[in-house]
Amino acid sequence: FTQCKNHLDDPAIDIKNNDKHEKSSSEQNGAIGSAFTIQDWEKYSPAKHLAPEEWNDRLMQLSKKHDAIDSEKCVSQAPSMKIQNEKMKHLEQPSSIGATHQDAEIYEMVNDDDAILLDARNIYETRVGHFAVPNLPTFFPNTRKFSSLPMALNTPEAAEALAGKQVFMYCTGGVRCERAGTYLRALSESNVGAWKGKDKPKGIYQLRGGIQKYLEKYGEPVQKAVNNSSGKNGSNEYSAATVQDAANRATNGGDSSYRCLFRGKNFVFDPRRTDPIIGNGITKSPASQKERTSLVGRCIICSCPHDDYDNGFAPCENKEARCCKCRVLVLVCNDCRQKVRCWGESDDTVIEFKMRLFCGKNGKDCVDEGNISENVETVMF
């Protein structure tokens, strides 16, 4: 892993080979939480690529299998575990005659239900959008910058969550997973640090093309809706261009293989801040007091649904909300934004009496969010 140029963001990832392997004593011993170097770790094979369609099929099959297992526990006469859907026939064990290596690999992948997703992105990216697969947990490293990911993967929490499981990892475009998957494989086979005595993952897979390619297939285009009644500049509500199609994909009815498993926005490192294609893009009328299913972000102060760091302004205007101390991006709804003072705002007579915004609970204290490897978490959706 190479050090990122910007402490706050990772607009570009340098994937050139690093021929120098300088090891400190903690790196040589594989100290827990340290980003120790494994000699020639880049020579390990990277994670297996899954196209968006394969990714969706595998995760939906694993999710449905958990549903079937739960149903079996709840009723005295459980339904057959055999999936009747024509597209699920390859779940049955392939016969030895005529079965290909790929058939056997798919069967093993789907029928081993001990799986977990791994989000290889930073905390401010996952705050506005992430995969949410029913019945499957997701491991969030919650890093501030990509170069901190090795430390997050070498924690007891990471080893406990990922050891012995099928790991499905994803990032924005797939570049970070190329290195993270290779590093995870080398780390898990090293038997040092937090992984000492732990089983290596049964399989490591990555989403080919990342969230970007996935949303091209399963996402919904949106346009900003102007809330004329409120009179506020910059509503963060969205209007799906194809609402009915989005609704069909978001429900369990019909062909579930087309169901979008990504929720929210895809954070990008360009002037747009987020991609205009979102996951599960359904908009509920504000008057109905129902939030759209695609909105996953929350205001740090009042916890209301909110996923716009810029509060309706263009990112190039530099009006985004940041912690006054560590400067990490913070989600603050439009109402609360009027009551706080963020990093970079001038000390004029109007602003100086406002509460200073920080990245901790309720925006009151700085916790240097994303810079501590112990902040990792596993979430079930």
Side-chain angles (χ1 to χ4, degrees), residues 62 65 107-115 164 166 202:
L62 288 166
K65 185 174 181 183
Y107 169 79
E108 181 179 357
M109 183 193 305
V110 174
N111 282 272
D112 185 349
D113 57 3
D114 208 3
Q166 295 184 88
K202 294 179 180 178

Side-chain angles (χ1 to χ4, degrees), residues 48-62:
K48 177 179 175 59
H49 287 221
L50 295 178
E53 297 84 355
E54 294 176 295
W55 175 273
N56 228 50
D57 287 344
R58 303 296 182 268
L59 294 180
M60 284 300 298
Q61 290 161 12
L62 288 166

Side-chain angles (χ1 to χ4, degrees), residues 45 65 74 87 91 93 97 138 148 168 178 226 252 255-256 295 306 322 361:
S45 58
K65 185 174 181 183
C74 296
K87 289 190 175 184
L91 280 175
Q93 187 169 12
I97 301 177
T138 298
S148 298
F168 294 82
E178 285 290 333
V226 179
N252 289 322
D255 188 353
S256 61
L295 201 160
H306 179 79
R322 292 184 180 273
K361 185 177 181 180

Side-chain angles (χ1 to χ4, degrees), residues 61 82 100 107 126 128 132 149 160 197 234 246 327 336:
Q61 290 161 12
K82 180 179 177 180
T100 65
Y107 169 79
T126 63
V128 296
L149 187 59
E160 185 67 27
R327 299 184 296 169
C336 293

Side-chain angles (χ1 to χ4, degrees), residues 105-323:
E105 184 178 18
I106 292 174
Y107 169 79
E108 181 179 357
M109 183 193 305
V110 174
N111 282 272
D112 185 349
D113 57 3
D114 208 3
I116 187 170
L117 282 79
L118 192 163
D119 193 326
R121 301 173 302 154
N122 298 313
I123 191 167
Y124 48 85
E125 298 174 78
T126 63
R127 287 286 186 260
V128 296
H130 52 70
F131 278 95
V133 183
N135 307 315
L136 295 185
T138 298
F139 179 76
F140 292 102
N142 289 334
T143 56
R144 182 71 161 272
K145 52 187 180 292
F146 182 56
S147 56
S148 298
L149 187 59
M151 292 183 288
L153 293 177
N154 191 28
T155 58
E157 294 83 359
E160 185 67 27
L162 305 176
K165 297 182 176 67
Q166 295 184 88
V167 179
F168 294 82
M169 60 169 35
Y170 64 91
C171 60
T172 304
V175 177
R176 282 177 278 187
C177 283
E178 285 290 333
R179 296 181 67 80
T182 304
Y183 185 85
L184 177 59
R185 190 184 302 279
L187 176 64
S188 63
E189 295 179 8
S190 65
N191 196 33
V192 296
W195 285 83
K196 187 174 182 62
K198 296 289 185 180
D199 294 331
K200 64 181 182 180
K202 294 179 180 178
I204 303 177
Y205 310 93
Q206 75 173 75
L207 176 58
R208 181 185 300 162
I211 302 168
Q212 189 77 33
K213 286 294 182 183
Y214 181 88
L215 290 181
E216 288 179 8
K217 174 71 176 179
Y218 297 100
E220 297 296 331
V222 296
Q223 60 182 6
K224 288 187 177 181
V226 179
N227 189 346
N228 294 324
S229 60
S230 66
K232 293 179 181 179
N233 182 17
S235 167
N236 71 326
E237 289 301 322
Y238 281 79
S239 173
T242 53
V243 175
Q244 186 59 49
D245 186 36
N248 291 337
R249 294 187 184 188
T251 59
N252 289 322
D255 188 353
S256 61
S257 64
Y258 289 99
R259 180 180 180 182
C260 183
L261 297 176
F262 187 84
R263 297 292 179 87
K265 299 177 179 177
N266 180 27
F267 189 101
V268 293
F269 296 97
D270 62 36
R272 299 173 300 168
R273 186 82 71 189
T274 56
D275 196 294
I277 306 296
I278 65 172
N280 213 5
I282 302 175
T283 299
K284 300 294 184 181
S285 171
S288 68
Q289 298 182 349
K290 294 180 180 179
E291 63 185 85
R292 68 178 189 274
T293 57
S294 63
L295 201 160
V296 300
R298 291 289 183 271
C299 172
I300 194 173
I301 297 175
C302 68
S303 298
C304 75
H306 179 79
D307 58 6
D308 183 10
Y309 286 116
D310 300 283
N311 296 94
F313 293 96
C316 62
E317 296 182 71
N318 298 320
K319 294 184 180 294
E320 71 273 13
R322 292 184 180 273
C323 173

